[in-house]
Amino acid sequence: MAPRDYPNISCGILTKQSFKDWGTVRELFTLWHKVAPAYFPNRYDVIEPIRRPLSIETLDAMQEIWEMSVCFKTTKSAWVEASRSIDGSFESERKYSTLHVTAESGTSAEPELIRFIEQAAIATDAEFAYMHRANSAEQNRDREKKIGSVYTCGVADKYPLISVYSKHLPLGMPDLYWCTILGKDKVEEIGRARLSACPVYQVEWLNDDLVRLQLTSSINDSRDNEQDFEKLRANIKTYLGEKLF
């Protein structure tokens, strides 16, 4: 079974650090292999079919095609499909380097993926990061507002997925996700005291400039308890300030 045949976890990291810097890339993939080995991709390539073998020992082989659009996947559970965008320095390009991961949900290794997103956000000094299982309410909201951060996959396009890109953040965060990590700019805009008192399931300061907001105890709540989750999400967005979204 491929990851597009059932609801998945959507993850993403947006950073001002440039993924053109191979040292940054190597650090990120080394961290991925260390923290979430079950979700570490074993294939990479420019286009489908994704066939080139990938391991932590052969990581530097990716440099050969790294300036192109590179995609990653696993060929066995836990399934992963991932991609990244490369931009120059944020100061000159005003665009973020991004890593998007679509991952199999419901596995015993799922906590590994959560830790990886946290640790990767710290390592790359992320401006924004998220982990979420998309639901129909946000899919409809995204379509109505023409945000373009939700797309679908699976049989008859019935499963929504999230992808946040550089174009989204200057217009405001597309939404608040089950796990949302905010970087220095958003922390300063909202205020540390207000974030610390945010009425979510968990507020965790990953460092002085990076905060993790977890809305509920389970990532499955966004789909399994959609109505309650949407009510909570709306209340938290009001608390933080609707102008941010």
Side-chain angles (χ1 to χ4, degrees), residues 118 195 200 202-207 210-214:
E118 291 179 358
L195 285 165
V200 295
Q202 185 179 47
V203 177
E204 180 182 5
W205 288 93
L206 302 179
N207 59 35
L210 207 61
V211 64
R212 174 183 180 269
L213 305 178
Q214 181 177 323

Side-chain angles (χ1 to χ4, degrees), residues 12-229:
I13 300 169
L14 289 81
T15 175
K16 292 180 180 180
Q17 293 186 17
S18 175
F19 285 170
K20 287 185 177 180
D21 176 49
W22 188 250
T24 298
V25 174
R26 170 169 270 284
E27 180 182 5
L28 181 64
F29 274 80
T30 300
L31 182 66
W32 192 344
H33 184 266
K34 177 182 178 181
V35 177
Y39 286 99
F40 189 78
N42 64 352
R43 295 287 187 273
Y44 76 99
D45 220 318
V46 179
I47 58 173
E48 293 281 359
I50 302 173
R51 291 177 173 172
R52 303 187 193 211
L54 176 65
S55 68
I56 193 63
E57 292 79 18
T58 62
L59 196 61
D60 289 336
M62 282 199 299
Q63 285 186 277
E64 179 184 354
I65 61 170
W66 192 248
E67 291 297 322
M68 304 177 190
S69 178
V70 181
C71 298
F72 317 93
K73 67 182 289 186
T74 58
T75 55
K76 59 182 179 180
S77 186
W79 303 106
V80 161
E81 291 182 345
S83 65
R84 63 95 190 97
S85 65
I86 300 178
D87 290 299
S89 66
F90 182 82
E91 290 71 22
S92 61
E93 301 286 344
R94 309 308 295 176
K95 295 180 180 179
Y96 302 96
S97 287
T98 62
L99 174 68
H100 296 290
V101 179
T102 300
E104 179 180 358
S105 60
T107 74
S108 60
E110 203 168 283
E112 291 184 4
L113 193 60
I114 297 174
R115 287 195 296 272
F116 167 63
I117 295 300
E118 291 179 358
Q119 294 300 312
I122 296 171
T124 61
D125 194 23
E127 182 59 30
F128 188 77
Y130 59 93
M131 186 170 183
H132 189 65
R133 285 185 70 191
N135 61 34
S136 57
E138 65 197 297
Q139 180 180 354
N140 294 334
R141 184 165 57 245
D142 188 270
R143 183 185 300 116
E144 290 170 1
K145 295 184 177 181
K146 298 181 179 180
I147 297 172
S149 62
V150 181
Y151 65 100
T152 56
C153 67
V155 179
D157 285 334
K158 62 184 177 182
Y159 297 128
L161 297 171
I162 306 294
S163 286
V164 180
Y165 294 96
S166 293
K167 67 180 182 180
H168 291 121
L169 291 192
L171 304 175
M173 292 181 283
D175 219 325
L176 189 67
Y177 304 106
W178 174 77
C179 173
T180 303
I181 297 175
L182 304 176
K184 184 176 181 180
D185 289 352
K186 292 299 182 187
V187 167
E188 292 182 349
E189 183 177 0
I190 299 169
R192 286 170 172 78
R194 190 164 187 79
L195 285 165
S196 293
C198 189
V200 295
Y201 175 77
Q202 185 179 47
V203 177
E204 180 182 5
W205 288 93
L206 302 179
N207 59 35
D208 289 343
D209 297 320
L210 207 61
V211 64
R212 174 183 180 269
L213 305 178
Q214 181 177 323
L215 271 63
T216 68
S217 60
S218 172
I219 194 171
N220 298 321
D221 287 333
S222 57
R223 291 184 62 91
D224 296 347
N225 305 298
E226 183 174 316
Q227 187 173 357
D228 290 341
F229 184 88

